[in-house]
């Protein structure tokens, strides 16, 4: 008791640059991705997909496929055991199409065979008799009265109208702009894959790479006609996600085939099928008018946003809400009218992708800020600072921003990062690899112009508009063979973002124990919510913190009961495997662990409100902000670009693992840069024309410049450790910053991303618009399918779960 | 079917393969080494990079029969005597990975490159790795990892 020597601190806790717990398995090739799964006697599933954007299915003839060698099952819509549709928010998507197909790539039939090639060959023998119908593949045309209807109730998914202050308020100066963004793909490097294994109890065990185990299950079970508890979903190794795995892909199909054949069935998409098998980032068209005073204060913003949701709802209604509510940028504006519409078309379905609507809005509002700065003759950064939001500012939905809002700080600290030195231009003045097109020996450094562009942006973390996306965690503290041991169970999906490492760091800090193990994620514990919306550190981190706190309290009760010498007034604490009382060691933790202690806790973020008829409500949980500055070099003859540097400053609340946070900023920046310069699914008449990595380009190591990042740490009140989500912000601002830099270099309008070489050399005209579409007639501000009583997906089911509890 | 003899990670394998079988599927499905990943099917992403007689190749671009009589090293063969390869440790230490799907290919491509150029500059690392895509990291920590490993390896040799 008299030991007063300096104690060790618990190592590997929060705030440290802890190496990833999956880093060694992944770097030695021992980490099992979903595509690596194998079971004895397993069959391979294959999906037959629609070749038409819109057609009636007259008949499906499967007999030749059934008779194919090695085939064990050929299933169509009539074989779906339960509910025939599913969906993340509304069950509008057929498991397998019947009567109609609504996009190219829609699943029509599935095959299980002994080898993937046998399955593919059999699928090619299925004869589907289609009557091709007129398709609507333009988002604006979808709103016209005579447009083909994608759904019986029409083509409007959601229309949000936000009335903030006096939308008729006049201003000294107005600038106007029209903007377009293309359809981006998440392109995670690991294609969709999973293994479904029929269980003895008549249920199914499914191992799959996903972002949200429980909502997969909630969509799967009704379609499979099974009670929820007979569908058990286990997380298989995930090769990146970025939103692409928030929706179901092969989960129901593989389960149907496995239940039908009584054998394990694996489905593993190739890259081409992956492009068809998941949702994409919504293409957008955005019209904006910004009004300001002569000295540069924003007075009024008019924004009209149109998003192409494609053939099925996925999360389009939430994306429409997000794009609309963030349309004014991280700026104080007293008056605004924002109208956002998400529509159905016969294009591939769009849904979640990193940034979730805030990306498209940021590209538009930041271009507007630069336009306004030019008209007013004010420095663009000064204009942003002058209008920056801060704590206490009012969001366009009337919500008071009560958390930290270091908008000025992220702008100032980003702008303060030193610019890269000027480099000589002209032939043979430097290493060809450092000039645009140099790596391909196309450009030689003539006609280079440097440009600098800046963008600030913001986004919500966790789910909004009344959604309670809670997370559960179970924590057990026991005496292991080498001292105390913490075991964590959480259904949070590790998709590469690093949540597993963060959860172990939290447990170390909370319990003062360095040996922490994490059980595999599955549905045998309560939902952790989705690995999306930059929410897992806050939500599952919060759940682990709560559970650890409960374990600690139970331990302290034991300590008090057993330690006669314990001073009831003394403060107990756990550090480096020791119980401390008033900072003095009482003894090793395991002395009190003759029985293990285990606790389960659920973390809820604060409740949010749905949006009302005027677009008002405290709809978001928490806001995070970021700014990036891009420096580019453009070859004005060839239209080629090299990005020289990205400077980034991000509001992270507090960094629980700073290097991991920087890694998120760097990776998110790459995806924003890709959207600005190269990434677009070329969809012509509803068909994706570039479904491969030879034709859909993502940034290579030569396309990515160094990212210099600064973490702005102002802890967020009411959030575990004050840590804000960090996953999405850099993607939101990077594209806008690169586009601004290209404008600065070329003086061109560049109102569409991705910017193409033809845009940079003036061979292509900037897109124009005859004006925004009229506001559609909708029953209210919520999602249109809701008003039509369309069977809901997760919304309805989660609500029912809550009722049962 | 064609008979091939190929040494994989130091172990000789005799196998009957279909002449059209790609090396990557031979490694993954016949030999059972799933550390080599398939990311694109079009030789664009480099996730399937392995060493063939010490030089990096995209194993989805090669037929299994082309490896007949040759030596293939996959990510599983990089550690020796229970010691991780310096590149494996460097990727772990420097946060050189997130989802990790590209990592085996990155490490194999980097190993081949560092054999040619043991003391590269950052530009040279970037040029050498252009054929390997990563969707998570923005490459910064991959470059850092390879430079770190180069330092460790040249230090070991010195």
């Amino acid at each position: 008791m008299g030991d007063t020597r300096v104690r060790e601190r618990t190592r590997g806790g929060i705030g440290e640059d802890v190496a990833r717990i999956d880093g060694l398995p992944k770097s030695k090739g021992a980490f099992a991705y979903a595509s690596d799964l194998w079971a004895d006697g397993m069959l391979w599933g294959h999906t037959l997909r629609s070749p038409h954007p819109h057609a009636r299915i007259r008949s499906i003839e499967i007999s030749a496929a059934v008779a194919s060698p090695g085939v064990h099952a050929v299933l169509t819509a009539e074989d779906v055991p339960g509910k025939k549709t599913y969906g993340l928010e509304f069950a509008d998507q057929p498991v397998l199409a019947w009567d109609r197909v609504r996009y190219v790539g829609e699943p029509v039939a599935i095959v299980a065979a002994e080898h993937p090639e046998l399955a593919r060959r059999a699928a090619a023998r299925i004869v589907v008799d289609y009557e091709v119908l007129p398709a609507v593949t333009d988002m604006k045309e979808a709103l016209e009265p005579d447009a083909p209807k994608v759904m019986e109730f029409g083509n409007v998914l959601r229309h949000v109208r936000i009335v903030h202050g006096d939308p008729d308020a006049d201003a000294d100066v107005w600038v106007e702009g029209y903007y377009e963004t293309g359809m981006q793909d998440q392109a995670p490097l690991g294609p969709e894959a999973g293994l479904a294994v029929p269980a003895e109890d008549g249920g199914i065990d499914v191992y799959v790479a996903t972002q949200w185990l429980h909502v997969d299950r909630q969509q799967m079970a009704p379609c499979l006609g099974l009670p929820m508890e007979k569908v058990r979903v286990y997380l298989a190794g995930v090769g990146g996600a970025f939103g692409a795995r928030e929706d179901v892909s092969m989960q129901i199909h593989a389960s149907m085939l496995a239940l039908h054949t009584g054998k394990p069935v694996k489905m593993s998409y190739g890259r081409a099928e992956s492009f068809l098998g998941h949702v994409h980032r919504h293409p957008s068209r955005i019209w904006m008018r910004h009004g300001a005073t002569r000295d540069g204060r924003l007075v009024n913003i008019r924004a009209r946003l149109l998003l192409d949701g494609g053939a099925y709802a996925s999360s389009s209604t939430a994306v429409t809400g997000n794009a609309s509510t963030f349309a004014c940028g991280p700026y104080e504006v007293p008056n605004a009218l924002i109208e956002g519409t998400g529509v159905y078309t016969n294009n591939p379905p769009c849904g979640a992708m990193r940034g979730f609507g805030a990306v498209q809005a940021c590209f538009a509002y930041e271009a507007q800020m630069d336009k306004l700065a030019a008209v007013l003759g004010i420095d663009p950064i000064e204009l942003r600072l002058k209008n920056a939001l801060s704590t206490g500012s009012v969001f366009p939905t009337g919500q008071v921003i009560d958390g930290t809002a270091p908008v000025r700080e992220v702008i100032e600290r980003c702008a303060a990062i030193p610019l890269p030195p000027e480099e000589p231009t002209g032939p043979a003045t430097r290493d060809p690899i450092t000039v645009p097109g140099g790596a391909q020996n196309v450009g030689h450094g003539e006609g280079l112009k440097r440009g600098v562009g800046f963008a600030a942006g913001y986004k919500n973390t966790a789910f909004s508009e009344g959604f309670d996306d809670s997370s559960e965690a179970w924590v057990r503290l026991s005496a292991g063979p080498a001292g105390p041991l913490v075991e964590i169970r959480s259904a949070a999906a590790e998709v590469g973002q690093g949540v597993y490492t963060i959860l172990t760091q939290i447990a170390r800090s909370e319990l003062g124990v360095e040996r922490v193990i994490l059980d595999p994620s599955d549905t045998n514990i309560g939902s952790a919510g989705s690995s999306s919306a930059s929410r897992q550190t806050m939500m599952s981190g919060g759940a682990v913190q709560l559970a650890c706190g409960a374990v600690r309290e139970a331990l302290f009760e034991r300590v008090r009961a057993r330690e006669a010498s314990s001073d009831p007034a003394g403060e107990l604490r756990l550090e480096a495997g020791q119980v401390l009382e008033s900072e003095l060691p009482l003894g090793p933790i395991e002395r009190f662990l003759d029985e293990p202690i285990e606790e389960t806790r659920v973390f809820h973020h604060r409740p949010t409100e749905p949006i009302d008829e005027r677009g008002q409500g405290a709809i978001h949980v928490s806001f995070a902000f970021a700014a990036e500055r891009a420096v580019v070099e453009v070859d004005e003859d060839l239209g080629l670009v090299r990005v020289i540097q990205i400077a980034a400053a991000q509001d992270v609340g507090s960094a629980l693992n700073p290097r991991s946070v920087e890694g998120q900023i760097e990776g998110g920046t790459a995806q924003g840069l890709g959207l600005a310069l190269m990434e677009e699914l070329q969809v012509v008449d509803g068909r994706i024309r570039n479904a491969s990595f030879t034709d859909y380009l993502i940034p290579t190591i030569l396309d990515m410049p160094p990212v210099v990042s600064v973490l702005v740490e102002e802890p967020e009140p009411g959030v575990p450790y004050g840590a804000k989500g960090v996953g999405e912000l850099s993607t939101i601002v990077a594209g806008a910053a690169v586009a601004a830099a290209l404008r600065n270099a070329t003086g061109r309008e560049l109102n569409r991303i991705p910017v193409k070489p033809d845009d940079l050399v003036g061979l292509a005209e900037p897109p124009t618009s005859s004006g925004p579409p009229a506001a559609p007639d909708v029953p209210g501000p919520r999602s249109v399918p809701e008003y039509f009583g369309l069977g809901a997906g997760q919304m309805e089911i989660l609500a029912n779960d809550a009722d049962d509890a | 079917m064609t008979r091939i003899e190929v040494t994989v990670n130091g172990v000789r394998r005799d196998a009957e393969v279909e002449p059209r079988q790609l090396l990557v599927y031979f490694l993954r499905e016949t030999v059972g080494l799933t550390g080599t990943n398939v990311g694109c099917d079009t030789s664009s992403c480099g996730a399937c990079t392995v060493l063939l007689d010490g030089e990096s190749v995209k194993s989805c671009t090669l037929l299994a029969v082309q490896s007949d009589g040759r030596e293939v090293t996959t990510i599983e063969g990089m550690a020796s005597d229970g010691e991780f390869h310096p590149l494996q440790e460097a990727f772990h230490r420097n946060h050189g990975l997130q989802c990790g799907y590209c990592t085996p290919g990155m490490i194999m491509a980097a190993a081949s490159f560092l054999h040619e150029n043991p003391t590269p500059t950052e530009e040279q690392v970037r040029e050498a790795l252009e054929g390997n895509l990563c969707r998570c990291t923005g490459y910064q920590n991959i470059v850092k990892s390879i430079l770190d490993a180069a330092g460790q390896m040249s230090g070991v040799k010195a």
Side-chain angles (χ1 to χ4, degrees):
Chain A
M1 208 65 54
D3 183 0
T4 55
R5 70 199 150 87
V6 178
R7 293 175 320 275
E8 287 175 47
R9 277 193 61 243
T10 315
R11 290 166 302 174
I14 58 166
E16 279 185 47
D17 285 327
V18 176
R20 297 180 62 98
I21 63 167
D22 52 6
L24 279 175
K26 284 177 174 177
S27 60
K28 65 180 191 183
F31 184 85
Y33 293 95
S35 45
D36 300 335
L37 297 167
W38 199 273
D40 284 340
M42 75 180 186
L43 302 172
W44 293 79
H46 184 77
T47 313
L48 179 73
R49 296 173 182 274
S50 164
H52 302 295
H54 196 193
R56 186 165 303 286
I57 298 174
R58 289 205 195 97
S59 64
I60 304 177
E61 177 51 56
I62 62 165
S63 53
V66 172
S68 266
V71 169
H72 288 242
V74 180
L75 305 180
T76 63
E78 62 191 42
D79 303 305
V80 177
K83 186 172 167 179
K84 298 211 184 285
T85 59
Y86 71 97
L88 205 47
E89 294 183 1
F90 306 99
D92 65 347
Q93 185 153 4
V95 174
L96 292 166
W98 76 93
D99 184 41
R100 278 213 283 170
V101 287
R102 295 179 176 85
Y103 74 97
V104 175
E106 179 161 358
V108 175
I110 45 177
V111 178
E114 287 157 15
H115 189 276
E117 290 183 19
L118 294 175
R120 275 200 292 276
R121 284 188 197 170
R125 291 183 183 157
I126 298 170
V127 182
V128 185
D129 182 12
Y130 290 106
E131 176 194 344
V132 175
L133 300 171
V136 57
T137 57
D138 179 279
M139 63 180 111
K140 201 172 163 193
E141 283 170 23
L143 287 168
E144 286 167 12
D146 55 349
K149 282 186 177 172
V150 181
M151 290 290 158
E152 278 66 25
F153 57 83
N155 294 337
V156 182
L157 260 162
R158 189 178 190 189
H159 182 73
V160 176
R161 186 167 191 269
I162 299 166
V163 184
H164 175 53
D166 172 17
D168 295 322
D170 204 5
D172 299 338
V173 178
W174 288 91
V175 293
E176 204 165 335
Y178 169 65
Y179 305 93
E180 293 184 358
T181 62
M183 186 186 288
Q184 189 180 18
D185 192 82
Q186 300 87 347
L189 218 57
E192 289 75 5
L195 176 70
V197 184
E200 279 180 7
D201 68 351
I204 189 120
D205 292 292
V206 183
Y207 303 80
V208 64
T210 181
Q211 291 176 235
W212 193 354
L213 294 161
H214 286 74
V215 160
D216 281 3
R217 179 174 72 163
Q218 283 159 352
Q219 294 170 86
M220 292 160 70
C223 297
L224 298 173
L226 290 172
M228 212 66 84
E229 66 274 10
K230 287 205 171 175
V231 179
R232 294 162 294 259
V233 189
Y234 306 81
L235 188 67
V238 183
F242 320 114
R245 298 186 211 269
E246 193 154 71
D247 286 85
V248 162
S249 59
M250 45 57 63
Q251 287 89 326
I252 304 172
H253 295 158
S255 301
M256 279 174 60
L257 291 168
L259 289 167
H260 187 87
T261 60
K263 288 170 180 289
V265 174
K266 177 171 174 175
M267 292 184 95
S268 193
Y269 292 177
R271 179 55 53 186
E273 186 171 24
S274 176
F275 277 105
L276 301 174
H278 62 245
V279 299
H280 313 287
R281 186 188 302 291
H282 293 76
S284 71
R285 296 183 196 168
I286 300 174
W287 296 259
M288 281 192 179
R289 285 189 79 204
H290 278 53
T293 61
R294 277 202 198 288
D295 67 349
R297 294 214 171 267
L298 288 171
V299 174
N300 195 350
I301 294 177
R302 294 281 184 126
R304 181 80 179 90
L305 303 94
L306 187 55
L307 300 174
D308 184 350
Y312 294 103
S314 178
S315 52
S316 285
T317 56
V319 173
T320 304
N322 248 35
S324 304
T325 61
F326 289 101
C328 290
Y331 308 113
E332 289 260 13
V333 55
N335 310 294
L337 177 63
I338 304 164
E339 288 187 278
T341 312
V343 296
Y344 283 115
T345 64
N346 293 113
N347 285 326
C350 290
M353 183 176 171
R354 200 173 198 169
F356 206 75
V359 171
Q360 295 92 326
C362 183
F363 170 64
Y365 63 67
E366 284 301 87
Q368 285 288 102
M369 292 301 279
D370 283 345
K371 266 190 191 182
L372 191 58
V375 167
L376 294 168
I378 298 178
D379 176 77
I381 290 171
E382 191 193 323
L383 180 71
R384 287 174 171 86
L385 287 171
K386 196 174 265 223
N387 292 284
L389 286 177
S390 55
T391 304
S393 295
V394 179
F395 190 65
T397 67
Q399 177 169 1
V400 175
I401 297 177
D402 52 4
T404 57
V407 182
R408 294 188 65 88
E409 289 74 6
V410 296
I411 293 172
E412 283 171 344
R413 293 189 65 185
C414 178
I417 293 170
L419 283 162
E422 290 284 343
E423 288 172 85
T425 58
T429 53
R430 59 193 219 225
D431 184 348
I433 202 82
T434 67
V435 301
Q440 297 81 21
N441 196 24
V442 176
H444 301 100
E446 305 96 332
L448 296 186
K449 283 239 171 99
R450 183 178 272 218
V452 180
F454 197 88
Y458 67 155
K459 194 189 171 285
N460 53 325
T461 57
F463 286 18
S464 299
E465 298 191 56
F467 201 94
D468 179 17
D469 48 318
S470 60
S471 178
E472 180 170 309
W474 169 92
V475 169
R476 182 174 197 262
L477 177 63
S478 62
L485 174 70
V486 179
E487 186 180 353
I488 305 170
R489 206 169 285 163
S490 159
E494 170 62 64
V495 296
Q497 84 280 40
V499 64
Y500 280 0
T501 307
I502 294 289
L503 298 185
T504 60
Q505 287 179 258
I506 289 173
R508 289 194 191 103
S509 286
E510 291 294 328
L511 294 173
V513 171
E514 287 172 11
R515 286 194 65 220
V516 179
I517 57 172
L518 194 61
D519 293 349
S521 300
D522 57 40
T523 50
N524 292 318
I525 185 173
S527 178
S530 180
S531 286
S532 64
S534 305
R535 60 177 288 289
Q536 281 298 18
T537 293
M538 169 163 81
M539 300 304 300
S540 295
V544 168
Q545 186 193 29
L546 285 179
C548 286
V551 166
R552 192 178 51 225
E553 287 317 307
L555 178 73
F556 288 167
E557 269 180 41
R558 273 189 203 175
V559 172
R560 296 269 186 231
R562 292 187 196 175
E563 286 289 304
S565 63
S566 172
D567 167 13
E571 194 195 332
L572 293 176
R573 204 163 73 77
L574 302 174
E575 188 80 63
Q578 297 285 320
V579 182
L580 309 180
E581 187 185 67
S582 305
E583 296 304 305
L584 295 175
L586 270 182
I589 292 175
E590 62 264 37
R591 188 200 294 171
F592 306 97
L593 292 175
D594 40 332
E595 288 290 323
I597 301 172
E598 51 184 71
E599 294 287 350
T600 302
R601 288 293 181 275
V602 179
F603 182 83
H604 298 266
H605 59 65
R606 64 175 177 179
T608 58
E609 299 169 357
I611 204 161
D612 73 11
E613 297 286 331
R614 289 176 58 82
Q616 299 295 293
I619 65 170
H620 295 307
V621 177
S622 173
F623 298 86
F625 306 85
E628 287 199 0
R629 185 192 64 207
V631 181
V632 302
E633 209 167 39
V634 181
D635 183 321
E636 285 216 300
D637 302 323
L638 299 170
L640 300 176
V641 176
R642 181 173 75 109
V643 183
I644 297 169
Q645 184 209 51
I646 299 278
Q650 189 164 316
D651 157 39
V652 303
S654 68
L656 302 194
N657 185 326
R659 291 185 71 179
S660 186
V661 172
E662 284 160 12
Q664 287 300 303
I665 293 174
E666 291 155 11
T669 295
Q671 292 180 6
L673 180 147
L675 174 61
L677 291 176
M678 63 190 83
E679 291 186 35
E680 183 175 10
L681 286 170
Q682 303 291 331
V683 182
V684 180
D685 297 332
R687 283 180 181 76
I688 298 176
R689 308 307 295 263
N690 58 338
S692 78
F693 275 175
T694 52
D695 299 313
Y696 182 90
L697 301 182
I698 64 174
T700 69
I701 197 164
L702 285 175
D703 294 315
M704 268 308 287
V707 177
V708 184
S709 40
V710 167
L711 309 183
V712 175
E713 297 193 72
E714 291 187 15
E716 173 84 334
V719 167
Y721 313 107
K724 293 188 179 184
V726 298
E728 296 169 285
L729 267 297
S730 59
T731 303
I732 292 166
V733 289
V738 170
L742 296 174
R743 283 187 206 106
N744 181 248
T746 62
R748 298 187 188 277
E749 186 171 359
L750 308 180
N751 60 335
R752 183 182 200 284
I753 46 173
V755 175
K756 295 174 188 142
D758 283 6
D759 303 326
L760 291 167
V761 298
L763 284 173
E765 288 298 315
T768 55
S769 158
S770 55
D777 191 18
V778 290
R782 288 180 292 142
S783 309
V784 172
E786 270 185 65
Y787 298 103
F788 288 91
L790 196 68
Q794 54 155 316
M795 298 284 188
E796 175 192 85
I797 293 161
L798 284 178
N800 289 347
D801 279 0
D803 293 345
D804 295 344
Chain B
M1 298 291 265
T2 305
R3 178 144 211 98
I4 61 167
E5 289 177 14
V6 51
T7 303
V8 180
N9 299 333
V11 179
R12 211 182 90 165
R13 307 265 176 182
D14 298 328
E16 295 275 340
V17 297
E18 283 203 49
R20 67 202 177 102
Q21 188 178 37
L22 296 170
L23 177 58
V24 65
Y25 291 107
F26 171 73
L27 293 171
R28 286 177 57 83
E29 292 173 6
T30 308
V31 186
L33 295 172
T34 54
T36 304
N37 292 320
V38 179
C40 71
D41 316 308
T42 51
S43 299
S44 315
C45 78
C48 66
T49 305
V50 299
L51 303 183
L52 186 66
D53 292 339
E55 257 186 76
S56 68
V57 293
K58 293 181 176 176
S59 62
C60 75
T61 313
L62 236 65
L63 298 166
V65 292
Q66 290 174 281
S67 67
D68 186 25
R70 304 176 76 177
E71 251 182 71
V72 175
T73 310
T74 70
I75 188 69
E76 291 93 342
M78 290 299 276
S80 55
D81 304 330
E83 294 276 305
F84 290 110
H85 188 278
L87 276 162
Q88 293 174 311
E89 287 188 337
F91 270 72
H92 176 54
R93 189 165 54 236
N94 294 287
H95 287 242
L97 59 90
Q98 288 178 26
C99 88
Y101 202 81
C102 74
T103 310
M106 287 283 177
I107 288 177
M108 301 316 287
S112 175
F113 167 63
L114 291 182
H115 187 68
E116 289 167 29
N117 182 352
T119 54
T121 62
E122 175 172 345
E123 279 73 27
Q124 288 168 333
V125 169
R126 286 183 179 268
E127 199 174 349
L129 271 288
E130 202 209 352
N132 289 68
L133 296 175
C134 170
R135 189 54 161 167
C136 297
T137 64
Y139 303 102
Q140 194 147 324
N141 289 338
I142 291 175
V143 174
K144 208 182 280 178
S145 302
I146 294 170
L147 290 172
D148 179 19
Q152 300 282 334
M153 288 163 74
S154 56
V156 166
K157 274 182 201 148

